[in-house]
Amino acid sequence: MGKWIVVAQHASGDTYRTEVIQKVTGTREDAQEAMRAASLTFHEPWREKSREVYRFPDGDSCLVIVKGLMSERHTVLSIAELVHDSADPGIAKAAPTGGEPQDGVPPMDRRPSQ
């Protein structure tokens, strides 16, 4: 069982906001289902005229377009899996930090050569 979050990303005035709207413990499919449920209720304006939900091909994110009486809001909902938690060393899904090649491919050093 993994630990997941459902994340909402949207513009708010001149700033771009990211917020966690739900935590999920379970499988990727459980997290995707939580995201789908959130897409039907997230950001309910005072008078909602219509709501469109578009799923991206990967199935891990969607675009929600909510048209209200006087506004329209576009929000991207996504799921993300917890891969590292310094408070819980038992979570060891983080990418290798070096030394061990992954699938026989040596790690790439992205630092410029000197």
Side-chain angles (χ1 to χ4, degrees):
M1 291 258 170
K3 292 184 180 183
W4 301 80
I5 56 173
V6 178
V7 179
Q9 299 175 314
H10 54 90
S12 180
D14 290 339
T15 61
Y16 190 74
R17 297 190 50 188
T18 300
E19 60 184 290
V20 175
I21 58 173
Q22 185 175 353
K23 292 184 178 185
V24 179
T25 300
T27 64
R28 171 182 240 103
E29 290 76 23
D30 294 334
Q32 289 174 334
E33 182 55 39
M35 179 191 67
R36 279 190 285 276
S39 72
L40 301 178
T41 59
F42 183 75
H43 184 68
E44 292 181 0
W46 183 58
R47 292 186 65 185
E48 182 175 314
K49 291 172 61 178
S50 67
R51 175 180 298 259
E52 298 173 339
V53 179
Y54 296 90
R55 183 183 65 226
F56 289 103
D58 65 359
D60 289 348
S61 56
C62 64
L63 172 65
V64 180
I65 301 173
V66 179
K67 296 176 184 174
L69 184 62
M70 299 183 64
S71 65
E72 181 174 298
R73 188 167 190 178
H74 298 193
T75 304
V76 174
L77 298 181
S78 304
I79 61 171
E81 183 179 17
L82 178 65
V83 295
H84 175 77
D85 184 351
S86 63
D88 185 359
I91 298 175
K93 291 185 181 180
T97 56
E100 293 296 318
Q102 215 173 6
D103 299 328
V105 178
M108 292 178 48
D109 186 356
R110 292 193 172 104
R111 293 177 291 175
S113 58
Q114 303 210 7

